[in-house]
Amino acid sequence: MRWGCHLPRASWGPGLGRVLQPADERIPFLIHWSWPLRGQRPLGPPRAFIRHHGSSADSDPPPGRHRLLFQGAAATEAIQQHRRNLAEWFSRLPREERQFGPTFALDTVHVDPVIRESTPDELLRPTAELALEHHPPSAGLPPLALSQLFDPDVCGRRVQTVVLYGTVGTGKSTLVRKMVLDWCYGRLPALELLIPFSCEDLSSLGPAPASLCQLVAQRYTPQKEILPLMATAGSRLLFVLHGLERLNLNFQLADTGLCSDLEEPKAPAAIIVNLLRKYMLPEASILVTTRPPAIGRIPSKYVGRYGEICGFSDTNLQKLYFQLRLNQPDCEHGAGGAGVSATLAQHDNLVEMLSRNLEGHHQIAAACFLPSYCWLVCATLHFLHAPTLAGQTLTSIYTSFLRLNFSGEMLDSTDPSKLSLMAYAARTMGKLAYEGVSSRKTYFSEEDVRGCLEAGIKTEEEFQLLHVFRRDALRFFLAPCVEPGHPGTFVFTVPAMQEYLAALYIVLGLRKTTLQRVGKEVAEFVGRVGEDVSLVLGIMAKLLPLRALPLLFNLLKVVPRVFGRVVGKSRGAVAQAMVLEMFREEDYYNDDVLDQIGASILGVEGPRRHPDEPPDDEVFELFPMFMGGLLSAHNRAVLAQLGCPIKTLDALENAQAIKKKLGKLGRQALPPSELLDHLFFHYEFQNQRFSAEVLGSLRQLNLAGVRMTPLKCTVVAAVLGSGRHALDEVNLASCQLDPMGLRTLRPVFLRARKLGLQPNSLGPEACKDLRDLLLHDQCQVTTLRLSNNPLTVAGVALLMEGLAGNTSLKHLSLLHTGLGDEGLELLAAQLDRNQQLQELNVAYNGAGDTAALALAKAAREHPSLELLHLYFNELSSEGRQALRDMGSTTEGGARVVVSLTEGTAVSEYWSVILGEVQRNLNSWDRGRVRRHLELLLRDLEDNRGATLNPWRKAQLLRVESEVKALLEQLGGPGT
């Protein structure tokens, strides 16, 4: 998963001439306009407008600057009501946008794209075969500011019709949405009236006749009062025709007659043709947005200016967009008591890392050339680093991203097949993506791309559809590789998109084996022959008394269906492809898939690999995750909207095949990062019953060393929190857990018997959650390891409250938790509140003789405590001797471990002590550890000289050698 000049500012101001066109090219939301919402809304903006580079708001002109054309109380009120309705209508954002915060609005993240003027000759020029390159602006045609769209042309002629075109993902819908909102909030004072039309809605009306007044009045009821005055509005009336590719226009007079009467009923397409001809409302201004293949549907003589939406070709525009979106104030949900300022600092750090990666890693900058991919980057970062919405998965983000760009889009509205654009992309780009995954490559030659695009094309109609796809959507999926060492190759616009499309290609059953392809043809042939033979046998059965003929007749009817079903089975292939990629052995020691996603977007800290070094093996661990996610009910419903339906029966059969494969291969012990990937697959699959059955044999959850972000905690809790079987051990050592993570993982902790949380920088605040865990009536924890966490005395006081009401805990490790004398004295005073504890480790806590002796005395009197660890504390020789004497003079009670020796013999816990030192050698205070080891070494030498038993001498020498080896590692004297 790898990612492989400043333009003039555009603003809306008073010097725009007749019509002012604000544009925003962030995210291509397809707006389906049908009936306006009638909600009441003030005319003012919903918040203070943030002005920045490319803002569509300039200083508003004073009232009265322009003479009102629609005078009268009724007309004025109708205009105001129209503004309120449009503002309410266009301010409503999709669910995918609401994830960025409850007050997220288009005004706060608006960044203008680069728009360059085009000429009709340039539009007619044949495009490059793959249509991937973006051509720089032609000489003499500088980029257009939004305020210049309706300026006179180079010959001084008036411009009344502007056609803005752009490929999928450039943000045409967002442009229209932002422009309408600007007019509603009074930021376009040169416009008296704005009437937006969705060409998709107009095309749905079919040929049913309706006048322009009827079309306007039906959709915008308040306009009934001013319809008779539209003819006098002149250029201060703007029609916005969005998505011209959805509408079939015919400019031939023989088919579409002239019409200038606003009240005369005509087919909607005929009304639009006469508006563009300037035969109806000749003074009105018109803005058209369309995809490139549909530009030719309007004769160039009716167009005053063409403008190509070129996206964020300047990385500064990308940075500004990311800064505005990622720093939304209401995105911050302080977690675990952390202040909002800390969260803001975290988001600032994300923006800074992303900016550095944009500057140094050109492939991600090339991807973010399309504003839609800027949205995808932000949505992915929000998913990785912010509180996750219920039910949101990475697969759902990518599926929603495609729905926002392709929902309802046909490849060519003039083609009778009405083929879905997304279905065509899944068949062609999915094939290329899967071939890349199966051969483990991310770079594709022109021959590779052409082979997948042209596979199976035989007719002229199919070549025409391919031409449309190349011109309009190919750049959305593929981009020229800008990384050194791969000239002339292409990559998927973002690495994860390759894996998503490959998974979609498999799940949709588009991959056919040779047997399946041949078998389908054989089944069809057998079916055709069987019909003829059945007819003959039927006649013979009536003429001849042959009893076997009817039976043979029925068999011939069954054969084609059975044979076709047998050869058409591909469920096992789906499961095999997914499981093999998930459990690929050479990937075992990669980072987990979530960290890989973050690194691909934000870059990798530290020095990069030298370009001359051989590249690492490609890792496609997202591929199985997406395969599971696409089978979830939510994603299947969204895919059906895109024209890529997955039948429920097929999904069930795939799930059963995957379960069988995972049941066989998923029982093996996996490294922590791979185990998290396995759990993440189940999270993407969103099927608790399926996960409970597959993970029913999981007894040890070892995620040691995995950085447990809030998302990863959510993943683990969602997958394992609802299970019923107990977990023998949950190891979350060195996972950078925080209190919020502990709260999220509590359902998992309640099922654990051994719980390892060392070291995670858990402080007193985390002890509140641990106390609540211990007091829970379903708690099964018998061993709790909290070593190397800064619990301090305050934290231990909370833990003792939990111990007082807990009946399951038997082993507690508080090694190196900053207790000091006060902490040990607190433990000594309250130890009797728990009657089940068997082992307590308070080693390396800086305690002195008095506190250690008090705790040892309390331990000896405890009814169940058997072992107390006190080594590496600040004990004097006298204190250590007193503790030894206490153990030798008291019958029963807990054993106290303070040294590597017991009398003149080696302690049976010597390996435990040295093992703790070895594990924490790099994190503990080296000078302090060296001093303690030297004291232990002196004890060993003294006891070796005091004993005459050769067996004991040999044991002491062996332990001495181990201590000396540790001292050498610490840089101390080994003798």
Side-chain angles (χ1 to χ4, degrees):
M1 281 168 283
R2 303 195 193 101
W3 290 85
C5 79
H6 299 281
L7 299 172
R9 297 190 178 189
S11 59
W12 293 100
L16 296 177
R18 288 173 294 280
V19 182
L20 305 99
Q21 308 302 342
D24 178 334
E25 296 319 305
R26 292 179 304 110
I27 313 157
F29 289 111
L30 294 175
I31 307 169
H32 301 288
W33 307 325
S34 52
W35 297 98
L37 302 173
R38 308 275 197 266
Q40 300 295 320
R41 182 185 179 93
L43 285 180
R47 63 178 76 224
F49 187 78
I50 299 177
R51 184 179 178 189
H52 52 77
H53 178 106
S55 168
S56 62
D58 236 328
S59 56
D60 290 341
R65 177 167 183 166
H66 297 281
R67 180 178 60 86
L68 293 178
L69 296 176
F70 302 115
Q71 298 179 354
T76 302
E77 176 58 28
I79 292 291
Q80 296 303 313
Q81 184 62 41
H82 181 53
R83 290 178 188 266
R84 285 191 289 268
N85 287 348
L86 286 181
E88 174 69 19
W89 190 359
F90 282 81
S91 295
R92 296 195 176 185
L93 298 175
R95 176 179 179 271
E96 290 80 9
E97 288 288 46
R98 294 198 295 272
Q99 67 178 312
F100 293 104
T103 62
F104 176 84
L106 190 61
D107 283 345
T108 61
V109 293
H110 173 54
V111 180
D112 288 333
V114 175
I115 300 178
R116 72 178 185 93
E117 187 171 357
S118 302
T119 63
D121 293 338
E122 187 177 353
L123 296 175
L124 295 175
R125 187 181 306 137
T127 58
E129 185 165 359
L130 289 179
L132 289 173
E133 300 289 349
H134 177 70
H135 302 288
S138 303
L141 294 176
L144 282 172
L146 298 176
S147 58
Q148 300 170 338
L149 291 180
F150 285 85
D151 284 356
D153 61 16
V154 292
C155 298
R157 291 189 296 261
R158 176 184 175 188
V159 173
Q160 292 180 280
T161 301
V162 175
V163 174
L164 292 182
Y165 65 94
T167 59
V168 175
T170 50
K172 300 179 292 295
S173 298
T174 306
L175 179 152
V176 174
R177 182 192 289 261
K178 183 61 173 61
M179 186 184 73
V180 172
L181 288 177
D182 279 351
W183 180 77
C184 294
Y185 299 147
R187 302 193 191 113
L188 305 180
L191 287 178
E192 189 83 16
L193 179 61
L194 185 148
I195 300 178
F197 277 116
S198 166
C199 293
E200 180 183 8
D201 288 343
L202 294 177
S203 66
S204 66
L205 298 176
S211 67
L212 177 62
C213 290
Q214 289 174 334
L215 290 177
V216 174
Q218 286 175 357
R219 282 158 173 74
Y220 309 109
T221 305
Q223 299 307 304
K224 291 180 180 179
E225 300 291 337
I226 59 172
L227 286 176
L229 303 176
M230 282 198 306
T232 63
S235 62
R236 299 184 66 186
L237 168 63
L238 174 65
F239 287 97
V240 179
L241 306 177
H242 176 58
L244 184 73
E245 68 276 359
R246 308 289 188 93
L247 198 62
N248 294 326
L249 304 180
N250 191 333
F251 281 81
Q252 295 183 5
L253 287 175
D255 299 312
T256 306
L258 298 176
C259 177
S260 61
D261 187 356
L262 305 184
E263 301 287 349
E264 182 179 351
K266 291 281 186 180
I271 298 293
I272 299 303
V273 166
N274 280 287
L275 281 174
L276 293 170
R277 282 173 175 166
K278 291 303 175 186
Y279 198 78
M280 183 181 292
L281 296 177
E283 295 297 317
S285 299
I286 302 175
L287 177 68
V288 178
T289 65
T290 182
R291 285 159 38 189
I295 296 175
R297 297 183 189 178
I298 305 178
S300 59
K301 63 181 179 180
Y302 299 125
V303 179
R305 175 170 286 122
Y306 293 97
E308 180 184 5
I309 304 171
C310 299
F312 296 153
S313 56
D314 185 353
T315 55
N316 287 325
L317 297 180
Q318 301 172 9
K319 293 178 185 178
L320 178 60
Y321 174 86
F322 291 133
Q323 181 180 2
L324 292 172
R325 183 172 287 271
L326 291 176
N327 285 328
Q328 285 297 297
D330 291 321
C331 294
E332 324 301 344
H333 306 281
V340 173
S341 58
T343 309
L344 289 174
Q346 180 184 7
H347 279 257
D348 288 339
N349 183 54
L350 286 179
V351 173
E352 182 180 355
M353 293 178 65
L354 184 55
S355 297
R356 288 202 304 266
N357 202 29
L358 287 172
E359 294 171 357
H361 199 183
H362 302 294
Q363 197 63 56
I364 186 176
C368 292
F369 162 82
L370 288 175
S372 59
Y373 276 99
C374 292
W375 180 89
L376 181 60
V377 168
C378 288
T380 304
L381 287 177
H382 199 267
F383 173 72
L384 293 175
H385 297 280
T388 304
L389 296 177
Q392 187 184 53
T393 64
L394 186 67
T395 311
S396 69
I397 288 177
Y398 273 77
T399 307
S400 299
F401 169 69
L402 293 175
R403 180 178 65 83
L404 293 172
N405 286 279
F406 294 97
S407 180
E409 291 276 0
M410 291 179 290
L411 183 58
D412 187 358
S413 61
T414 62
D415 186 72
S417 65
K418 305 298 181 185
L419 181 62
S420 162
L421 180 56
M422 190 60 224
Y424 191 90
R427 191 178 69 201
T428 55
M429 293 293 96
K431 177 179 174 62
L432 181 68
Y434 178 73
E435 289 181 357
V437 170
S438 59
S439 59
R440 306 188 72 77
K441 70 176 183 179
T442 58
Y443 305 99
F444 303 93
S445 66
E446 187 171 339
E447 290 73 18
D448 295 332
V449 179
R450 187 183 298 109
C452 289
L453 289 175
E454 298 179 358
I457 293 183
K458 300 177 181 178
T459 65
E460 180 64 28
E461 291 75 13
E462 291 173 337
F463 272 107
Q464 180 60 31
L465 292 177
L466 175 58
H467 174 72
V468 172
F469 181 78
R470 278 174 170 166
R471 189 174 182 187
D472 189 32
L474 187 58
R475 177 62 178 87
F476 182 86
F477 295 104
L478 290 181
C481 181
V482 297
E483 296 179 0
H486 299 279
T489 59
F490 304 99
V491 295
F492 278 84
T493 312
V494 295
M497 184 58 72
Q498 177 181 351
E499 299 179 69
Y500 180 93
L501 291 174
L504 183 61
Y505 183 72
I506 293 296
V507 171
L508 289 175
L510 298 175
R511 175 177 175 262
K512 301 293 184 183
T513 64
T514 303
L515 175 62
Q516 290 168 338
R517 288 194 298 268
V518 174
K520 181 180 179 182
E521 297 175 359
V522 171
E524 294 175 352
F525 174 76
V526 171
R528 290 193 300 267
V529 173
E531 293 177 359
D532 299 335
V533 175
S534 298
L535 180 61
V536 175
L537 291 179
I539 296 173
M540 293 178 64
K542 294 179 180 179
L543 299 176
L544 301 174
L546 298 177
R547 297 181 179 180
L549 286 178
L551 178 60
L552 184 59
F553 174 75
N554 292 327
L555 286 176
L556 285 172
K557 290 182 178 180
V558 174
V559 166
R561 293 197 298 269
V562 174
F563 188 68
R565 183 173 299 179
V566 169
V567 299
K569 287 287 185 181
S570 60
R571 316 305 170 209
V574 172
Q576 184 75 10
M578 187 215 66
V579 173
L580 286 180
E581 192 63 44
M582 180 181 293
F583 292 95
R584 191 180 290 274
E585 294 184 1
E586 57 265 30
D587 295 343
Y588 268 10
Y589 298 101
N590 289 319
D591 292 336
D592 63 81
V593 68
L594 294 173
D595 280 348
Q596 291 178 46
I597 297 171
S600 70
I601 296 176
L602 299 175
V604 180
E605 295 294 329
R608 293 183 179 274
R609 179 178 55 83
H610 192 275
D612 295 334
E613 294 180 12
D616 299 331
D617 288 339
E618 296 294 343
V619 178
F620 295 104
E621 294 181 326
L622 269 179
F623 172 60
M625 314 301 169
F626 282 139
M627 289 181 68
L630 288 171
L631 293 175
S632 67
H634 169 75
N635 287 309
R636 284 190 286 115
V638 177
L639 286 172
Q641 299 174 10
L642 290 169
C644 302
I646 302 174
K647 296 180 181 179
T648 302
L649 181 61
D650 291 344
L652 291 174
E653 292 181 353
N654 276 312
Q656 292 172 357
I658 291 172
K659 184 194 301 183
K660 187 179 298 184
K661 289 289 183 181
L662 286 178
K664 293 179 180 179
L665 297 176
R667 297 189 185 95
Q668 56 183 301
L670 297 173
S673 61
E674 293 296 316
L675 177 58
L676 182 66
D677 289 347
H678 189 189
L679 299 178
F680 184 59
F681 165 79
H682 287 274
Y683 178 77
E684 291 290 313
F685 197 75
Q686 294 284 295
N687 188 323
Q688 291 186 354
R689 180 178 178 182
F690 172 91
S691 300
E693 294 178 1
V694 173
L695 298 173
S697 60
L698 182 67
R699 290 294 182 268
Q700 291 189 338
L701 179 64
N702 180 16
L703 297 175
V706 174
R707 185 173 60 93
M708 293 299 292
T709 62
L711 173 61
K712 295 177 186 178
C713 293
T714 301
V715 168
V716 175
V719 174
L720 294 177
S722 59
R724 297 181 179 178
H725 70 279
L727 297 170
D728 294 337
E729 182 176 5
V730 174
N731 185 0
L732 295 174
S734 304
C735 289
Q736 303 180 34
L737 276 173
D738 56 13
M740 182 178 70
L742 294 181
R743 285 192 290 274
T744 304
L745 291 170
R746 181 185 298 178
V748 180
F749 293 164
L750 290 174
R751 297 170 48 202
R753 292 196 172 94
K754 294 181 181 180
L755 179 58
L757 298 175
Q758 72 284 356
N760 279 294
S761 301
L762 299 175
E765 185 180 357
C767 292
K768 298 178 184 177
D769 299 287
L770 294 174
R771 174 197 61 189
D772 296 340
L773 172 67
L774 293 173
L775 291 176
H776 199 283
D777 57 357
Q778 296 180 8
C779 180
Q780 305 179 44
V781 177
T782 60
T783 301
L784 178 59
R785 302 187 184 96
L786 294 171
S787 57
N788 298 301
N789 285 296
L791 303 181
T792 70
V793 179
V796 170
L798 293 169
L799 285 178
M800 292 309 298
E801 295 178 13
L803 283 174
N806 178 270
T807 58
S808 65
L809 192 65
K810 300 185 184 308
H811 306 275
L812 176 62
S813 175
L814 299 176
L815 178 145
H816 192 211
T817 51
L819 303 184
D821 289 337
E822 188 178 356
L824 264 66
E825 290 171 357
L826 177 65
L827 285 172
Q830 301 188 17
L831 192 60
D832 58 347
R833 298 177 65 184
N834 179 280
Q835 302 297 310
Q836 286 79 32
L837 199 63
Q838 297 178 1
E839 181 181 6
L840 178 62
N841 189 340
V842 290
Y844 198 7
N845 271 291
D849 292 348
T850 304
L853 287 169
L855 181 58
K857 182 178 180 181
R860 299 290 292 182
E861 297 173 353
H862 194 275
S864 63
L865 197 64
E866 299 174 356
L867 190 61
L868 176 65
H869 301 264
L870 281 171
Y871 47 86
F872 277 23
N873 280 292
E874 303 302 318
L875 304 175
S876 64
S877 300
E878 294 77 10
R880 290 199 300 275
Q881 187 59 45
L883 290 170
R884 292 193 190 99
D885 293 342
M886 182 182 297
S888 62
T889 58
T890 308
E891 294 293 334
R895 297 181 60 181
V896 180
V897 181
V898 293
S899 179
L900 295 174
T901 59
E902 293 180 4
T904 58
V906 172
S907 171
E908 63 179 294
Y909 300 102
W910 71 269
S911 59
V912 175
I913 298 173
L914 295 184
E916 290 287 356
V917 176
Q918 186 68 55
R919 281 191 294 272
N920 299 282
L921 205 59
N922 296 323
S923 58
W924 285 358
D925 183 348
R926 300 175 73 88
R928 186 175 174 186
V929 173
R930 186 187 305 113
R931 178 166 52 84
H932 282 294
L933 286 177
E934 289 172 350
L935 291 175
L936 294 178
L937 183 61
R938 195 171 303 130
D939 281 346
L940 289 168
E941 292 172 345
D942 293 343
N943 282 284
R944 181 164 52 85
T947 182
L948 297 177
N949 188 321
W951 174 246
R952 289 185 176 181
K953 283 181 178 288
Q955 287 183 314
L956 290 167
L957 279 171
R958 178 192 174 190
V959 178
E960 282 182 37
S961 64
E962 296 284 347
V963 175
K964 290 177 181 179
L966 287 174
L967 284 170
E968 289 179 356
Q969 293 184 46
L970 290 168
T975 60

